[in-house]
């Protein structure tokens, strides 16, 4: 398997802006959120287990998971959240590993909003944190998602803090300025990662 760079950052920090740019440089992007959706697609064993535990959790039209309902259940109950995490986390990890192993780019990127919270940084050789001040994170999220400040802050409260992420970082990219100021930092990191990948 090639070198794996874990990219993380809080909500609205610019993970997508960063990984979109690395993709233009030909780097394979594996998305933990997407892996989390794959493991509960219709036909997957995990979906059957969830449907067995929570009656009425599947959408009638197509048998897919009613995510909103599931989210409400785990918000309301810590023990249900733990049950679900114990079921899904190993499967998500397996799905991520499968995708990383299939990657043929010089190095690969694993992007995850909850990398540190879910120990997914252990799947990466290095961690790159997309860093912005909290107030900017909130402002960009509000204008992107049409969310209220209160909603945004409640999501933020469930994520690692800026300091916790920075502590786990091998590299930090500052996304507090324009994209024009972001990209040269990524070009530099790209060269560094190419070098590291060659040394392996
Ligand atoms: P989430 O975890 O919520 O999916 P994210 O970390 O992927 O967020 P992005 O979607 O990349 O964050 O960025 C959040 C918003 O801020 C987007 O609307 C994006 O276009 C904008 N944005 C990102 N970087 C910059 C920047 N340097 N300057 C201005 N706007 C930016």
């Amino acid at each position: 398997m090639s070198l794996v760079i874990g990219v993380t950052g809080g909500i609205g920090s610019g993970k997508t802006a960063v990984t979109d740019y690395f993709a233009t440089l030909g780097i394979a992007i594996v998305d933990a959120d997407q892996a989390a959706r794959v493991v509960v697609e219709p036909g997957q064993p995990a979906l059957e287990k969830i449907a067995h535990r929570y009656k009425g959790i599947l959408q009638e039209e197509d048998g897919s998971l009613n995510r909103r309902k599931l989210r409400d259940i785990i918000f309301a109950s810590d023990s249900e959240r733990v049950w679900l995490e114990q079921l899904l986390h190993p499967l998500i990890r397996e799905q991520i590993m499968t995708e990383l192993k299939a990657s043929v780019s010089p190095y690969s990127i694993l992007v995850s909003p909850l990398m540190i919270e879910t120990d997914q940084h252990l799947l990466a050789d290095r961690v790159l944190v997309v860093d912005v001040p909290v107030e900017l994170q909130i402002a960009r999220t509000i204008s992107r998602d049409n969310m209220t400040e209160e909603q945004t802050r409640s999501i933020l409260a469930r994520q690692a803090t800026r300091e916790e992420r920075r502590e786990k970082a091998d590299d930090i990219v500052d996304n507090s300025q324009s994209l024009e100021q972001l990209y040269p930092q990524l070009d530099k990191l790209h060269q560094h990662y190419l070098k590291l990948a060659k040394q392996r």
Side-chain angles (χ1 to χ4, degrees):
M1 201 164 80
S2 63
L3 181 78
V4 177
I5 307 298
V7 170
T8 192
I11 180 171
S13 58
K15 296 178 293 296
T16 306
V18 165
T19 52
D20 281 355
Y21 188 74
F22 278 114
T24 68
L25 302 175
I27 299 306
I29 313 293
V30 174
D31 183 336
D33 272 351
Q34 202 180 313
R37 283 193 287 274
V38 168
V39 301
V40 291
E41 277 173 357
Q44 294 285 338
L47 187 61
E48 278 177 36
K49 289 188 182 143
I50 292 168
H52 185 73
R53 192 172 179 96
Y54 311 116
K55 302 291 169 224
I57 198 85
L58 300 185
Q59 322 245 29
E60 275 177 20
E61 315 84 75
D62 57 359
S64 68
L65 182 62
N66 186 333
R67 295 172 171 282
R68 211 199 158 90
K69 251 189 189 168
L70 188 62
R71 211 177 309 138
D72 289 345
I73 293 171
I74 62 169
F75 271 0
S77 161
D78 265 353
S79 60
E80 294 310 312
R81 182 180 50 76
V82 169
W83 178 83
L84 191 71
E85 283 176 1
Q86 282 177 350
L87 171 69
L88 296 183
H89 283 181
L91 298 172
I92 295 168
R93 204 159 303 164
E94 215 173 281
Q95 177 65 27
I96 288 171
M97 289 306 290
T98 303
E99 292 180 28
L100 285 172
K101 280 180 191 156
S103 155
V104 292
S105 69
Y107 65 90
S108 312
I109 284 180
L110 167 61
V111 59
S112 175
L114 299 175
M115 177 164 288
I116 288 155
E117 297 85 334
T118 58
D119 274 347
Q120 283 166 354
H121 62 282
L122 301 174
L123 303 176
D125 297 293
R126 294 176 76 81
V127 173
L128 168 59
V129 167
V130 186
D131 187 51
V132 291
V134 172
E135 295 309 315
L136 190 53
Q137 225 185 313
I138 292 171
R140 284 181 182 165
T141 304
I142 290 173
S143 74
R144 182 194 56 187
D145 295 340
N146 231 332
M147 291 210 298
T148 65
E149 175 162 352
E150 199 190 355
Q151 286 169 323
T152 310
R153 284 194 191 273
S154 93
I155 293 176
L156 231 111
R158 291 193 298 273
Q159 300 187 339
T161 64
R162 186 179 184 193
E163 289 67 35
E164 285 164 345
R165 261 189 303 268
R166 290 169 62 106
E167 261 170 37
K168 286 278 192 311
D170 296 288
D171 307 299
I172 295 180
V173 67
D174 170 19
N175 189 28
S176 63
Q177 308 296 319
S178 67
L179 294 173
E180 287 65 37
Q181 279 156 302
L182 172 69
Y183 297 152
Q185 300 177 63
L186 301 181
D187 285 327
K188 239 171 137 180
L189 284 166
H190 178 62
Q191 292 309 323
H192 183 48
Y193 295 153
L194 286 176
K195 222 182 263 170
L196 289 177
K198 260 196 199 143
Q199 287 165 3
R200 277 160 59 99

